[in-house]
Each structure stands twice: as C-alpha cells, then as structure tokens.
C-alpha cells in the first residue's frame, strides 16, 4: 500500500499514484482529491522507500507507522503536532522507536511523520504492511534502490 502513496517535495500532504504517463505521473491528493501531474523534475518519493535513521541501522517507514498505529489503537495521534514543542515530539517518537538517531532525525521530520500518519488514518489507509513480490524485492536488493531519508 505504501508504494502507491507518494510525497512530492514542495507540495503539502500525500498523494496516491493514479497513472503513469510519458515522463510524468498522475497523482491524486489525499487532502482534497484533486488530480495533478508530477513531472520528472519533481522530487517524488514513495513512502515504501523511506526509512527512519536509528542508532544502529535504518527502520522502514512501514514499521514505524505500524508501531504508531499500535500505540494509538488505530486512531489519530494523541499528540497535537502543530502545537508540540521539539522535546515533546522527540519523547513521542522515543516511545514508538526508542533507538531513533536523535542527531539525524529532526523535529520537522517527526512532525511530517505524524502528519502523514494522521492523514493516512483519516483516509482509512491503515494497512502499512509492505506488498511482497519476489521480482520487486529482488530488484531492490540488487540495485540498492531503497532511499534512506529522515522524513
């Protein structure tokens, strides 16, 4: 499910992949439902390709979202993202992911993560488990296509 949900740099919210065209993607905003093109020049990242830095390694975003879902019993986050201080955000993430890298994961990254989670829950997109297909997994392993960001 997360492979079809996209983040586009410079655009608020998340987008669902609708179609692929020549040198562009057609995406639908999860916020307002409007369809827009995303071109090759836009920085488009699939949520399935994002990982959170930890002290030892990186944890895929789907694991972090699942941990938040478990903590919140499938509801929106108990913390108010907009009015929270940096220490509160770090404490919240530490409850979900105790060994996150406090130097490379910034409060803005935590805000973005929590906003994404709340939007996904609001839209009923709460199955965060990755879709396993032998070809796709093998291709990612051999090409090293997984991108690691602290978003």
């Amino acid at each position: 499910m997360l492979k079809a949900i996209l983040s586009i740099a410079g655009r608020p919210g998340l987008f669902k992949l609708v179609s692929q065209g020549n040198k562009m993607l057609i995406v639908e905003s999860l916020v307002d439902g409007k369809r827009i093109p995303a071109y090759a020049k836009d920085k488009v990242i699939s949520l399935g390709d994002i990982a959170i830095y930890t002290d030892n390694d990186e944890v895929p975003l789907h694991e972090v979202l699942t941990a938040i879902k478990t903590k919140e019993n499938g509801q929106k986050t108990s913390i108010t993202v907009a009015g929270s201080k940096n220490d509160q955000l770090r404490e919240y993430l530490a409850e979900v992911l105790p060994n996150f890298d406090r130097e490379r994961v910034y409060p803005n990254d935590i805000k973005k993560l929590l906003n994404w989670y709340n939007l996904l829950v609001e839209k009923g997109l709460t199955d965060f488990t990755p879709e396993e297909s032998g070809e796709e997994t093998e291709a990612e392993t051999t090409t090293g296509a997984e991108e690691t960001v602290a978003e």
Side-chain angles (χ1 to χ4, degrees), residues 32-81:
D32 60 13
K34 292 183 181 177
R35 291 185 177 192
I36 59 169
Y39 298 99
K41 66 178 170 63
D42 295 324
K43 184 177 180 186
V44 179
I45 300 173
S46 167
L47 294 191
D49 294 336
I50 296 176
I52 304 293
Y53 293 119
T54 64
D55 293 332
N56 304 327
D57 203 4
E58 292 120 15
V59 175
L61 185 64
H62 71 87
E63 290 181 20
V64 179
L65 292 173
T66 301
I68 294 172
K69 180 181 171 183
T70 301
K71 176 183 175 11
E72 299 294 347
N73 296 320
Q75 302 298 311
K76 287 187 172 185
T77 58
S78 54
I79 186 172
T80 306
V81 179

Side-chain angles (χ1 to χ4, degrees), residues 2-38:
L2 290 181
K3 284 283 186 193
I5 305 297
L6 308 171
S7 171
I8 303 174
R11 297 191 185 223
L14 294 172
F15 300 86
K16 181 171 36 171
L17 178 63
V18 176
S19 177
Q20 294 182 356
N22 188 18
K23 297 184 183 180
M24 71 174 186
L25 303 172
I26 304 297
V27 296
E28 182 178 299
S29 171
L30 291 181
V31 176
D32 60 13
K34 292 183 181 177
R35 291 185 177 192
I36 59 169

Side-chain angles (χ1 to χ4, degrees), residues 27 37 67 84 90 98 105 116 131:
V27 296
S84 297
R90 286 190 175 106
V105 179
W116 286 352
E131 298 148 3

Side-chain angles (χ1 to χ4, degrees), residues 21 26 40 43 66 68 95 100 103 106 120 126 136 138 149:
I26 304 297
K43 184 177 180 186
T66 301
I68 294 172
E95 291 176 22
F100 81 96
E103 292 180 14
Y106 299 105
L120 291 169
T126 58
E136 186 174 311
E138 184 177 315
V149 292

